[in-house]
Amino acid sequence: SQTIHQWPATLVQPVGSPLSLECTVEGTSNPNLYWYRQAAGRGLQLLFYSVGIGQISSEVPQNLSASRPQDRQFILSSKKLLLSDSGFYLCAWSGARVNTEAFFGQGTRLTVV
Amino acid sequence: RKEVEQDPGPFNVPEGATVAFNCTYSNSASQSFFWYRQDCRKEPKLLMSVYSSGNEDGRFTAQLNRASQYISLLIRDSKLSDSATYLCVVGGSTLTFGKGTMLLVSP
């Protein structure tokens, strides 16, 4: 069966520090991968999605970036965090077919102080 | 118009009640529709897909009206464990999530 791992679960980082969140998927090949952010009291916002290695689409311009160095690995990064980057970051995967449901990792709760 | 719009909530209902969630979407070319459930401080989890013919899973019934661009979720005989936020999700090139409607079921 497919599983998705995301870490760390909780992170407190100072303003201006770098960020690296990692997500890996097991049990499937060539998944579509997604990074979402959920700010307090708000809906899920799609940040990046990837349909293959090295292929990244950005939905919202910001100081975050994403990379997909391997088929089942998706990384969210920032060189300098802002206070507004605080939120609940969720990695998700879906099948390669369009319009299939997505399955989420357990999320990383990031607080920038 | 927001891409996916849901009742703002929260809905407070007693155990055993029937509760209905409504959702509208703006993109008429949308191809797939889902309801997700999200518990407090947890990740969203797929509750059920929504098909044009309507579908039922135990106490949960989902309906889709493509002409009106409207999706619904009905929960019958509410349980305490149904307390969560329910997210309406619409698929096109990617999945678009509504903000969710919180449900609180009380004894």
Side-chain angles (χ1 to χ4, degrees), chain A residues 31-36 46 48-52 56-59 92-102, chain B residues 3-4 25 27-34 89-97:
Chain A
N32 291 338
L33 296 173
Y34 309 86
W35 278 110
Y36 285 88
L46 179 62
F48 301 96
Y49 70 95
S50 171
V51 299
I56 309 293
S57 296
S58 174
E59 291 293 303
W93 76 271
S94 70
R97 281 191 306 114
V98 179
N99 297 314
T100 59
E101 61 270 28
Chain B
E3 290 189 69
V4 180
Y25 60 96
N27 185 355
S28 59
S30 299
Q31 296 295 317
S32 58
F33 309 90
F34 310 96
V89 184
V90 175
S93 55
T94 60
L95 296 179
T96 302
F97 286 74

Side-chain angles (χ1 to χ4, degrees), chain B residues 20-91:
Chain B
F21 300 98
N22 301 312
C23 172
T24 57
Y25 60 96
S26 60
N27 185 355
S28 59
S30 299
Q31 296 295 317
S32 58
F33 309 90
F34 310 96
W35 283 101
Y36 278 71
R37 170 195 169 125
Q38 186 174 23
D39 292 293
C40 187
R41 301 180 71 82
K42 297 288 188 180
E43 76 276 21
K45 292 184 178 178
L46 179 67
L47 180 64
M48 59 196 303
S49 302
V50 188
Y51 305 113
S52 296
S53 55
N55 48 300
E56 187 174 308
D57 183 2
R59 297 181 293 109
F60 299 83
T61 301
Q63 298 276 355
L64 167 66
N65 184 323
R66 284 186 182 269
S68 303
Q69 295 178 208
Y70 169 84
I71 308 161
S72 66
L73 175 69
L74 187 75
I75 304 177
R76 293 181 299 279
D77 189 23
S78 299
K79 311 291 184 190
L80 294 176
S81 57
D82 293 334
S83 297
T85 296
Y86 290 84
L87 305 169
C88 175
V89 184
V90 175

Side-chain angles (χ1 to χ4, degrees), chain A residues 14-29:
Chain A
V15 169
S17 64
L19 173 74
S20 181
L21 301 180
E22 188 165 344
C23 171
T24 59
V25 181
E26 295 178 358
T28 186
S29 297

Side-chain angles (χ1 to χ4, degrees), chain A residues 62-106:
Chain A
Q62 55 211 322
N63 70 322
L64 298 171
S65 62
S67 62
R68 184 169 178 175
Q70 300 180 45
D71 181 45
R72 289 170 287 179
Q73 183 184 29
F74 206 22
I75 298 171
L76 182 70
S77 304
S78 174
K79 292 182 179 177
K80 286 187 178 182
L81 285 169
L82 306 172
L83 287 175
S84 57
D85 291 325
S86 294
F88 191 36
Y89 288 83
L90 291 152
C91 180
W93 76 271
S94 70
R97 281 191 306 114
V98 179
N99 297 314
T100 59
E101 61 270 28
F103 300 93
F104 287 84
Q106 292 186 337

